Amino acid sequence: MNAPASDVPNEAPVLFEERAAGAHRIGIATLNATRTLNGLSLEMARLLDEQLVTWASDPAIALVVLQGAGEKAFCAGGDLHSLHKAMQAYREAGHTDIRENAYVSEFFAVEYRLDYRIHTYAKPIVCWGHGVVMGGGMGLMAGASHRVVTERSKLAFPEITVGLYPDVGGSWLLHRVPLHAGLFLALTGAPLTAGDAIYANMADLHIASDQRDAVLAALTDSAWSADPARNASVVTDVLTRFATPAAPGPLQAHQASIATVASQPAFDDVVAGILAMDNDDPWLVTARETLRAGAPGSARLAFELQRCAADMSLADVFRQEYIVSLHCAAHGDFMEGIRALLIDKDRQPHWQPATLADASATWADAFFQSPWPPAQHPLAGLGVPPVSGVIPA
């Protein structure tokens, strides 16, 4: 499964290949933007979504493999520079309606439709989650039917550091992490090793990175049929042959203490509990420092969204996240977080609200207000039964 080593001038940001596998074919999609650790741009999301639609309706395609170019990352997140530029123009123009930022609206709509399509795809998708998998990369990986991590995988939702929150369906995914640990991960951006990712239900199997080509060769040599369920079983059998145990990581080592603080019903108690965790493990120290330095509003929004996700379908979670994300772009801390981290690089964000105490539930209410009636929501079509794997817009 040889991924390209580097970007080539004028080469497509996503590379598509089809390999013969008997009477069938395997579709391979490679994110090809190594200079940005395969950060997901709007163009990349569109290309990938269009190709998945094509492969879904092609009876010769038995399965899809999704991977990243290079050896450093599957996908380190979204294209934050373009989003910052669009947010800055929106605010300088004096807009107040969250629908008036055309680029941001389109970016999140395309990305969330793509993520939902992967979750509901009719054919098996193998995601090779090698290296860095963060933010938008988590959105791509989360819904794949077979999620592979390697010894170099590093998974995280670090949005609190840039004034966003774990979107791309993260509210739904993190709510399902055992023992309430998903809330801890959202508030601290703490990274997961391969073993912890599997424990947290964010990955399925651990395979050594040097086995990638052998895995693809074995998939190519397998017997495929027109039955997606049968093909999914074949994929499972092949991957299981290459899988090896992954050592438990720090999330599992501290699961008891994390469960105690993250299970508290009140936001303030959860935050206070994390900040008071008395342990000098560098992983926990960094987690506490990230929460303390991160955007207070992001922490509150992550908390409220995970509470909502408990009673919502995946499609409804994406619709709610879309609304919250547009509000974050219009008047939240998202632009300021990107400025401090990537534009000016002073790492001195001026968060509003400035403190966790000020990030109240009442403050967060405005981020949940939709400017559309339900039937006109840009993602209203999510959840409509797919036809040949095609998810309506």
Side-chain angles (χ1 to χ4, degrees), residues 334-347:
F334 193 24
M335 189 176 86
E336 172 62 10
I338 299 174
R339 179 207 64 77
L341 182 66
L342 298 177
I343 307 302
D344 297 335
K345 300 181 181 180
D346 58 19
R347 295 185 178 271

Side-chain angles (χ1 to χ4, degrees), residues 30 36 75 122 137 160 167 292 313 323 331 393:
T30 303
T36 61
C75 176
I160 191 170
D167 65 326
R292 189 175 284 112
S313 68
I323 294 166
H331 55 85

Side-chain angles (χ1 to χ4, degrees), residues 19-22 24 26 28 63 214-224 238:
R19 294 197 182 183
H24 292 81
I26 296 173
I28 303 173
L63 72 146
V215 168
L216 184 57
L219 290 171
T220 303
D221 292 339
S222 297
W224 304 104
V238 170

